[in-house]
Amino acid sequence: MRRKAPTPVEDLTIMEASAELAELAGEIARHDRAYFEQDAPIIPDAEYDVLRQRNEAIEARFPELIREDSPSRRVGAGVVEKFGKVRHAVPMLSLANGFSDEDASDFVGRIRRFLNLDDAQPVDITAEPKIDGLSISLRYENRKLVQAATRGDGFEGENVTANVMTIAQVPKRLKGDAPEIVEVRGEIYMSHADFAALNDRQAQAGEKVFANPRNAAAGSLRQLDSAITAARPLRFFAYAWGEAPVLPADTQMGVIEAFASWGLPTNPLMKLCGSVEELLAHYRLIESQRAELGYDIDGVVYKVNRLDWQQRLGFVSRSPRWGLAHKFSAEKAMTVLEKIDIQVGRTGALTPVARLKPVTVGGVVVTNATLHNEDEIARKDIREGDTVIVQRAGDVIPQILGFVAEKRPVDAKPYHFPQECPVCQSHAVREERAGGKLDAVRRCTGGLICAAQRVERLKHFASRNAFDIEGLGDKIIAEFYADELIQWPHDIFTLEARDKGALKRLKNREGWGEASVAKLFEAIDQRRSIALDRFIFALGIRHVGETTARALARAYGTVAHFHEQMIAAGPMEGDAWNELNAIDGIGEVVAEAVVQFFGEPHNRDVVDELLKHVTVTSLEARSTTSPVAGKTVVFTGALERMTRDEAKAMAERLGAKVSGSVSKKTDLLVAGPGAGSKLKDAEKYGVEVIDENAWFERVGEA
Ligand code: IVH
């Protein structure tokens, strides 16, 4: 359990921040696994969000401490459910980070001591750019590319072979004297130019734009449809290896040169250095070329050249003693803060955004930066018109470190954070937290009378994990809202009918045509039927993320029952209220938020109107005739005919409930080879156990 009252982020020392980020990375990863893999979340969504927000806040203050395994670097939800899993024969571990020249020389000193080398003996170390992409393991058998896997948690990644096959820079066949078996490891990335062109295309098509090239590369690689990956220009550098029974050389440099001779792209800036001074000189050279490279790098990687020494040095925890990632410090620049704008989010949160005179920070033009919240602005005494120091590192939104006192205009006035919503003028308040402390966030109390909240809610409603209406991205929603084509969620479903009689038809709008309109209407039609969990999530109730929505959907089964019970729980006492609070994963904060949502007549109207146009399928109603309908099933051990995610999806399609652990409520345990404690639990509770083949026979899909 985490501390109840954590140290405010602004008071953390760098050591405390580093330790806490490590702890948060582990903790959040554990929750992701529980949620995505075991479907058994350990904490409510709201608590999970607090962890993520804390992680983000610490990273924003200490960008140089952002970890390889940081939750903020994982795209989307982290573990993807759609690809098959690949267990890495040799784990894909990460490098220890260094931030200073001293860290680099300590690294070399440690190696010398570990190997017991005398001062006269040179230690050759390679230095090369640290590419900011995603690592990949490519398995070649008899020179042919047979498998590509992402890093995943380092031990198990996702099978993305079909997608990697579409990347021109990845050879499908190795040339020259490549051995029978070799796993080549390296980085998939996207160039700046390709990234900009992709985002232009995405924006024009009304699709999501990516925050940076690394996210774009990851998003492109993890497409279910490999045709989409093929249309996105991904690149590759090889820099390491996994399973490799026979190596072509006995040095790091030698192996990388052999990789190049086999047709694999290698980085031209890799250099062999004989001393710390040479390493640092090369570090500075690479840093000076950073902005012109045309792709993102975030440091320089040092590796002991002799492979026999690498072998002897081995690993400490999850990083090799023979390697170091010498990270670049966060880029800083000075510019003028022209204005502080307040953005209003879906739940009414007022977020201050600094509008800056455009400035290049580490090769990227920055025009906006976060100011976090009103306390932060007051603490730093940032004022409109100030010359400020902006810092940008990796993925995080640029932030303002402080102002330059000498440059403050004489008439600059302290910033007064608005007490009213700038969009609807309703009161904006800071709620009181437990213990009497005020929430850091000020919120608009306008709810659905606030246009900003409405439009944000609409965006959420149509978004990928909610109604997932293709072609109705954030930009289009904002346009349709402004033009009064869509004001409420149900308007989406009457759009086509209204369009028929409209004076200015959609197909005549700029950027639209007959085909794109037909496509949009088709996408909307496809969502006239939706599962209850998605429906609940789409409502955008505060604190109700996907996990919570799923828990509610499971507990109430049908939309009618859910709706009725939430209204019955309104007085916050009695059976309905107790039942809501008793649901696994629903804490009081969430329960209150849901009940408050349904307590608002305008929210109930939104739901009622929507239900006139969409059919909500209950989770159980997906299948009632299959032999496993209504049963609670647990899968354990290795499955050979399907991935764990496929198994789960199949069981759910057949009306079963899939659980991550065996209890007396479990009806069936499907156990593959290697099953352990769950098998024992099944025996203890007398749960029926069958193997994978028997499962297929049972459900009639053998
Ligand atoms: S060598 C034992 N070389 O950085 C790990 N990694 O923290 C050996 N990376 O996950 C990795 N550029 O994704 C290596 N030139 C480079 C790299 C590099 C980027 C990434 C890689 C890895 C992480 C290590």
Side-chain angles (χ1 to χ4, degrees), residues 589-653:
V589 176
V590 178
E592 242 182 76
V594 183
V595 165
Q596 268 169 11
F597 180 93
F598 282 94
E600 295 282 353
H602 52 242
N603 286 332
R604 290 202 298 271
D605 290 347
V606 165
V607 175
D608 288 339
E609 281 303 317
L610 251 177
L611 290 175
K612 292 184 187 158
H613 303 279
V614 295
T615 313
V616 183
T617 55
S618 62
L619 296 189
E620 277 73 9
R622 286 192 199 174
S623 168
T624 44
T625 52
S626 95
V628 293
K631 300 258 184 324
T632 300
V633 182
V634 176
F635 292 92
T636 189
L639 299 177
E640 279 149 10
R641 295 172 60 179
M642 54 187 168
T643 64
R644 189 63 66 86
D645 295 320
E646 272 178 85
K648 186 165 166 278
M650 180 179 179
E652 285 179 351
R653 175 169 53 80

Side-chain angles (χ1 to χ4, degrees), residues 206-228:
E207 300 281 337
K208 138 187 183 166
V209 295
F210 295 99
N212 53 49
R214 198 181 56 78
N215 281 359
S220 304
L221 189 66
R222 292 152 76 127
Q223 284 291 334
L224 266 194
D225 178 359
S226 48
I228 299 181

Side-chain angles (χ1 to χ4, degrees), residues 127-187:
E128 71 203 64
K130 182 168 188 301
I131 319 294
D132 197 8
L134 31 7
S135 42
I136 193 95
S137 187
L138 307 174
R139 187 173 175 88
Y140 289 90
E141 287 178 7
N142 297 316
R143 304 206 179 99
K144 267 176 60 186
L145 176 61
V146 292
Q147 181 173 278
T150 62
R151 177 172 187 264
D153 63 3
F155 299 98
E156 203 172 58
E158 293 142 11
N159 188 338
V160 287
T161 314
N163 291 351
V164 170
M165 287 286 181
T166 69
I167 303 176
Q169 281 204 339
V170 171
K172 311 302 162 302
R173 189 172 261 284
L174 295 180
K175 296 190 296 196
D177 56 355
E180 251 173 60
I181 291 180
V182 61
E183 267 176 29
V184 175
R185 290 183 177 169
E187 204 86 349

Side-chain angles (χ1 to χ4, degrees), residues 68 93-95 128-131 135 151 187 239 301 303 320:
E68 290 304 329
L93 302 180
S94 56
L95 294 163
E128 71 203 64
K130 182 168 188 301
I131 319 294
S135 42
R151 177 172 187 264
E187 204 86 349
Y239 53 63
V301 178
K303 297 171 189 165

